[in-house]
Amino acid sequence: MDTATRADAPDTLVETVGAAIVTRGLTKRFRSGQVAVDALDLTVPRGSVFGFLGPNGSGKTTTIRMLLGLVTPTSGEQSVLGLPPVQALPKVGAVVEGPAFYPYLSGADNLMRFDAADPTASRATARRRIADALDRVGLAAAAGKRYRTYSLGMRQRLAIAAALLRPRELLVLDEPTNGLDPQGTREVRALVKEIAADGTTVFVSSHLLAEVEQMCTHAAIMRAGKLVAQGTIASLSAGLAVRIRVETPDAAAAVRVLERLGMDDVRTGDAHVTAELGGHAPERVNAALVGEGVAVRGLAVVRPSLEDVFVGLTGEGFDVDG
């Protein structure tokens, strides 16, 4: 999907070509009456790194559980890799809340136990597949180390390795960087990009907008069980204005210059002024400020972020950093 959209979706699943995941009117209502997911129309392009965004409690995990056949929808349609979810499962790897590994076993032995639990996995190829999975996530050198000695980032990568013990066309990750330190976050981010480069569609659920912005090619934003918007990362912010930010101790004078230049939505902050850039060249804005004697400590062009998109669509803040 090249442009951001709310409801411009095909009426039937078969009309969407080249999609890894399609839902139409997907709804989950619990016995308590709570509607966790409300008429979700979602399209995830094949080959994308797709960020599924929303605050905690917005319906992300419930949606994932329906896509994996773990929860039965109340109504609506869903297709995974062109198949009903249960039929698609052999082609899907998933890390939802992380598998429970044995702390006293090595990474390789844990994967051996994990693989043995899969009745469809070949015992004859187990060691080769485990070695390949560990190498793919960068844990080959730590294969013999006990799980309890692994860092949080290594543990998350081992969980992803478990999901990749067989060839997968789709990898579903629920909050893969939640609780990780900066190093672990970078490790997982790099791994996701590598997996996608190999041709696997990666569906990443997260409440960390800044992280998804660095990792994903496409995104959808959920709020209170409803889809707010979806599209490419670029298209989601296309309707928002690019702004210029001027760091200055002379805020009042800077405001007068920017308004005289005809710039819109001029705002003042703590030792800075911002405005919509419009068609103005940043270097000319800077020259005008300096020419009027405004002390410019810094000047930057600020492009809209996913946080700006969410606030613009809902009028609410978002947990950007966790």
Side-chain angles (χ1 to χ4, degrees), residues 248-260 266-269 271-273 289 294:
T248 176
D250 305 328
V255 167
R256 289 193 294 271
V257 173
L258 297 182
E259 290 179 341
R260 193 156 56 243
V266 180
R267 306 176 193 173
T268 58
H272 72 268
V273 177
L289 289 165
V294 176

Side-chain angles (χ1 to χ4, degrees), residues 23-262:
T23 72
R24 294 292 175 257
L26 191 65
T27 299
K28 180 59 182 179
R29 180 180 291 103
F30 292 110
R31 291 180 179 177
S32 64
Q34 176 195 2
V35 179
V37 178
D38 190 358
L40 176 64
D41 289 345
L42 185 69
T43 303
V44 177
R46 284 183 184 259
S48 65
V49 180
F50 194 98
F52 194 43
L53 295 164
N56 292 328
S58 61
K60 304 188 304 297
T61 297
T62 300
T63 299
I64 286 176
R65 291 185 178 279
M66 288 191 285
L67 293 173
L68 296 176
L70 300 173
V71 170
T72 303
T74 304
S75 60
E77 297 179 279
Q78 55 182 332
S79 171
V80 177
L81 301 173
L83 300 167
V86 175
Q87 294 180 24
L89 285 181
K91 302 178 181 179
V92 179
V95 179
V96 181
E97 298 178 357
F101 290 119
Y102 293 99
Y104 56 86
L105 292 180
S106 68
D109 286 343
N110 265 297
L111 291 190
M112 187 67 73
R113 294 282 185 105
F114 196 87
D115 190 66
D118 184 352
T120 65
S122 168
R123 303 284 82 83
T125 62
R127 291 192 179 278
R128 176 183 56 78
R129 289 185 291 102
I130 288 169
D132 288 346
L134 287 167
D135 183 62
R136 192 174 190 188
V137 302
L139 289 177
K145 294 182 178 180
R146 293 186 178 185
Y147 178 77
R148 67 187 179 196
T149 68
Y150 281 16
S151 68
L152 288 176
M154 293 170 70
R155 293 180 180 189
Q156 189 68 331
R157 284 188 283 146
L158 186 67
I160 294 173
L164 297 174
L165 286 173
R166 298 174 61 183
R168 308 293 189 184
E169 294 181 31
L170 172 65
L171 179 63
V172 178
L173 304 175
D174 189 13
E175 301 283 0
T177 61
N178 198 26
L180 298 186
D181 59 17
Q183 177 61 29
T185 297
R186 284 192 294 270
E187 291 173 0
V188 171
R189 185 197 309 147
L191 176 58
V192 166
K193 291 180 178 179
E194 290 171 10
I195 292 170
D198 290 338
T200 301
T201 304
V202 184
F203 184 80
V204 182
S205 167
S206 182
H207 66 284
L208 305 176
L209 280 79
E211 185 59 33
V212 165
E213 203 162 12
Q214 296 182 62
M215 187 190 310
C216 298
T217 59
H218 298 68
I221 300 175
M222 294 285 288
R223 173 176 174 265
K226 290 182 176 292
L227 181 68
V228 177
Q230 65 179 318
T232 64
I233 296 294
S235 69
L236 286 170
S237 58
L240 298 180
V242 175
R243 300 184 67 82
I244 193 168
R245 179 185 174 101
V246 181
E247 303 290 341
T248 176
D250 305 328
V255 167
R256 289 193 294 271
V257 173
L258 297 182
E259 290 179 341
R260 193 156 56 243
L261 289 173

